Every structure is written in structure tokens, then in C-alpha cells.
């Protein structure tokens, strides 16, 4: 993994001023409006090296953004991993012990296992339980187009369309390794009005990722009536007023690594469309991995090719 040279354009902001917060949970702050309304939460640093989320949230704090109704929560999840961020080894600080975003089932959260991330997830859980709407800010290993991850439920896809950016909405069920925060509790229940989205804003350390993370966050808050466009226009970047034709990719399966050695046959970066069904894309312990249908889209191929983890997700354009 260390063979690739990354260009680190972004600077990880100092978030120590947000440690105390006001919720009893470190690095989580909730602002409450006089007028009743939904509780809207924006969380960053679910992965410690995805610093665009810290930048977007820091931007809201610095601008003293407050909700016009309901509640606005701003939080940083894996601060312990973020503290380890070193621009010389930028991929090293995704997490301390395990992926924070694979722990979000009651069985795991209530279970006996312990890790730095589980401890943090247990601390943040009441905040996630209390939120009506959640936006989780992420970035990706490769510099491809931003992706809104809307899960499999219509309510999240509808909110992604209401927000209006980015162009690509991906609908997927997550990872075999464990549920994500965005799929937890009511967010993953079609009968609940609670709605969550996850934005993959771009490559981890490109300037563009921070712009996208910020614009998506502002438009999320506007869509939910937490702020008006006028309130936050001064913070907006290149996509603040963009109106792309949005397209939806439905993920049909995740390729989960079953062997001890997984290799792709090409240096895929994501969003490649493989025209022919049955095309060879990789080997898992020598077994062929082939595309299951024509015009198969490769989504977020991983460079962390470890047994039990997702190598790549496969999908197709449906809209
Ligand atoms: Zn992430």
C-alpha cells in the first residue's frame, strides 16, 4: 500500500476546541432552536483519515451556524484515529483497532467485545439514536466522482434527490463485515421516518473532497429546513447551486474476499462500466471473479484486500 504516492492537498484542522461539546459525549455538540423541528446530525471522521468531513464541520462551527428549527448536532466520530493522522502515512489512520463503520448492530454494540472503535461507537450511540436525519461525511481511496450512498430504502434515495448533489446516487446494502452507522436502527427500517445518507466526497486528501463535503452538508441542512440558503450561501463552494441530472446506481452485490490472496486484473479506480457479462475482473485465491451481467459498474474497488472485507461492489445504472 505504501507504494502509491499521494498528494496531500488538505490540511487536517485542529478540532481540539470541540472536545468538550455540550452533550456529555466528547466531540459532539448539539444546538437547539426555539422553534420545534427535526433533529439533524452531521458526523465526520467516521474514518480517521477522511479529513474532508472534519473540514466541513469545522467550517460550520467557525461560521456559528445555528438551526432555525429543531436541533443541529455536529460530531466527530473516530477522533482517536484522526489524532494519529500523519500526512507522510495518510492511509494508516483509518482506525485504531477496527473499522468504526462496521459495528452498527445492537448485537455488536451490546456485546462483550472491546476495541477503541467499539468504545467510541457506544459513546456516540445515544446521539445517533436521537437524530431524525443523519449525514455521515466520508471520502475515498481513488479520485473518482463523488457518490451519495443512500442504502436500499426509498426514503434515503428521495432525500438524496432533494439535496440534488452529487450527480451519482448509489443504493447499496453495505458490507458483509458489519452494518454501517447509516444503516443502524430506524435509519435502516422502512417503517421509521428516520433517514440517513453517507457521502463519499472524493479522494481522501484532494481539495475537491472538502468542497463537495461542505456543499453536500449545506444542501442537506437546507433540504431539511435547518437553515435557509441565504444563511449559508457565503460558505458555499462550486456545487452549492449546481443542478446536475442525478443518476442512480443500484448495487446488486458486494464481492467479499474469501481467500487469503485477492488481486484485480486491472488497476481499477471505480465507476468503470464493464460491457460484457462474464468479464474477468479479479482472482480470489486463484478463483476467477467475473461480472454477473452486461454493463456492470465497479464501485469503490478497495486497496485493502483483506479476507472478509469488501473488494469491490457491483452495480448498474437504473436511472
Ligand atoms: Zn469512509
Amino acid at each position: 500500500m505504501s507504494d502509491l504516492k499521494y498528494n496531500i492537498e488538505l490540511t487536517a484542522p485542529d478540532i481540539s476546541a470541540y472536545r468538550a461539546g455540550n452533550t456529555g459525549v466528547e466531540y459532539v455538540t448539539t444546538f437547539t432552536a426555539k422553534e420545534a423541528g427535526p433533529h439533524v446530525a452531521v458526523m465526520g471522521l467516521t474514518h480517521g483519515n477522511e479529513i474532508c468531513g472534519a473540514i466541513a464541520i469545522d467550517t460550520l462551527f467557525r461560521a456559528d451556524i445555528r438551526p432555525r428549527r429543531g436541533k443541529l448536532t455536529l460530531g466527530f466520530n473516530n477522533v482517536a484515529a484522526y489524532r494519529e493522522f500523519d500526512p507522510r502515512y495518510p492511509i494508516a489512520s483509518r482506525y485504531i483497532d477496527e473499522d468504526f463503520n462496521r459495528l452498527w448492530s445492537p448485537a455488536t454494540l451490546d456485546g462483550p467485545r472491546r476495541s477503541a472503535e467499539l468504545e467510541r461507537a457506544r459513546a456516540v450511540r445515544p446521539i445517533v439514536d436521537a437524530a431524525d436525519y443523519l449525514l455521515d461525511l466520508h471520502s475515498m481511496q481513488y479520485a473518482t466522482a463523488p457518490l451519495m450512498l443512500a442504502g436500499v430504502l426509498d426514503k434515503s434515495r428521495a432525500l438524496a434527490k432533494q439535496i440534488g448533489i452529487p450527480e451519482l446516487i448509489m443504493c447499496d446494502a453495505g458490507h458483509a463485515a458489519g452494518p454501517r452507522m447509516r444503516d443502524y436502527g430506524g435509519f435502516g427500517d422502512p417503517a421509521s421516518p428516520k433517514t440517513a445518507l453517507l457521502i463519499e466526497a472524493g479522494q481522501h486528501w484532494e481539495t475537491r473532497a472538502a468542497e463537495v463535503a461542505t456543499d453536500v452538508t449545506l444542501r442537506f441542512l437546507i433540504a431539511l429546513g435547518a437553515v435557509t440558503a441565504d444563511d449559508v450561501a457565503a460558505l458555499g463552494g462550486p456545487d452549492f447551486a449546481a443542478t446536475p441530472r442525478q443518476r442512480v446506481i443500484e448495487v446488486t452485490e458486494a464481492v467479499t474476499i474469501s481467500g487469503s490472496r485477492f488481486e484485480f486484473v486491472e488497476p481499477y479506480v471505480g465507476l468503470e462500466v464493464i460491457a460484457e457479462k462474464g468479464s474477468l475482473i479479479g482472482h480470489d485465491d486463484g478463483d476467477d471473479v467475473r461480472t454477473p451481467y452486461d454493463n456492470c459498474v465497479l464501485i469503490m474497488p478497495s486497496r485493502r484486500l483483506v479476507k472478509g472485507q469488501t473488494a469491490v461492489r457491483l452495480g448498474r445504472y437504473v436511472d
Side-chain angles (χ1 to χ4, degrees), residues 21-286:
N22 64 357
T23 60
V25 181
E26 284 192 351
Y27 291 99
V28 180
T29 299
T30 299
F31 301 111
T32 304
K34 285 199 180 75
E35 193 185 325
H39 183 172
V40 176
V42 180
M43 305 298 277
L45 298 181
T46 292
H47 294 130
N49 60 350
E50 300 180 358
I51 59 183
C52 67
I55 292 170
I57 293 169
D58 182 48
T59 300
L60 294 183
F61 271 120
R62 284 171 181 275
D64 291 325
I65 297 302
R66 297 290 182 274
R68 285 184 173 265
R69 60 185 185 127
K71 293 182 178 188
L72 170 62
T73 288
L74 304 176
F76 305 92
N77 280 331
N78 201 339
V79 179
Y82 179 65
R83 284 205 197 99
E84 305 280 303
F85 182 78
D86 180 340
R88 290 171 300 172
Y89 310 102
I91 44 184
S93 52
R94 181 175 170 87
Y95 51 74
I96 302 286
D97 296 325
E98 62 180 326
D99 192 328
F100 179 93
N101 216 25
R102 304 288 182 271
L103 306 175
W104 290 86
S105 68
T108 301
L109 293 167
D110 293 330
R113 217 157 58 67
R114 299 189 65 176
S115 71
E117 278 74 20
L118 259 170
E119 204 169 301
R120 181 61 178 159
R122 286 166 182 149
V124 170
R125 185 183 186 181
I127 306 291
V128 181
D129 279 329
D132 298 309
Y133 295 92
L134 171 70
L135 176 64
D136 190 17
L137 304 172
H138 289 250
S139 52
M140 304 180 276
Q141 295 169 43
Y142 294 106
T144 55
L147 286 170
M148 186 71 97
L149 273 55
V152 293
L153 299 179
D154 289 343
K155 60 184 181 180
S156 301
R157 192 185 298 202
L159 180 57
K161 292 210 162 170
Q162 202 187 335
I163 292 167
I165 56 169
E167 181 189 342
L168 296 178
I169 300 167
M170 185 178 108
C171 299
D172 80 308
H175 306 271
R180 302 167 296 193
M181 186 176 67
R182 61 132 291 120
D183 303 313
Y184 164 76
F187 298 123
D189 177 358
S192 164
K194 285 169 65 112
T195 305
L197 290 168
L198 185 163
I199 179 70
E200 297 282 3
Q203 205 281 335
H204 294 322
W205 309 296
E206 62 175 351
T207 302
R208 177 91 185 113
E211 293 171 350
V212 170
T214 303
D215 282 340
V216 168
T217 298
L218 299 177
R219 289 179 62 158
F220 172 77
L221 298 180
I222 295 165
L224 296 169
V227 299
T228 66
D230 285 347
D231 291 339
V232 294
L235 307 179
D239 300 295
F240 183 68
T243 54
R245 178 175 113 66
Q246 288 181 292
R247 302 193 68 195
V248 176
I249 303 171
E250 261 178 18
V251 172
T252 57
E253 57 202 276
V255 176
T256 303
I257 300 170
S258 60
S260 54
R261 183 177 171 83
F262 188 102
E263 287 176 325
F264 289 109
V265 299
E266 300 273 346
Y268 301 119
V269 298
L271 297 176
E272 292 89 353
V273 180
I274 311 292
E276 276 195 36
K277 174 183 173 174
S279 297
L280 183 69
I281 57 169
H283 297 284
D284 189 355
D285 255 0

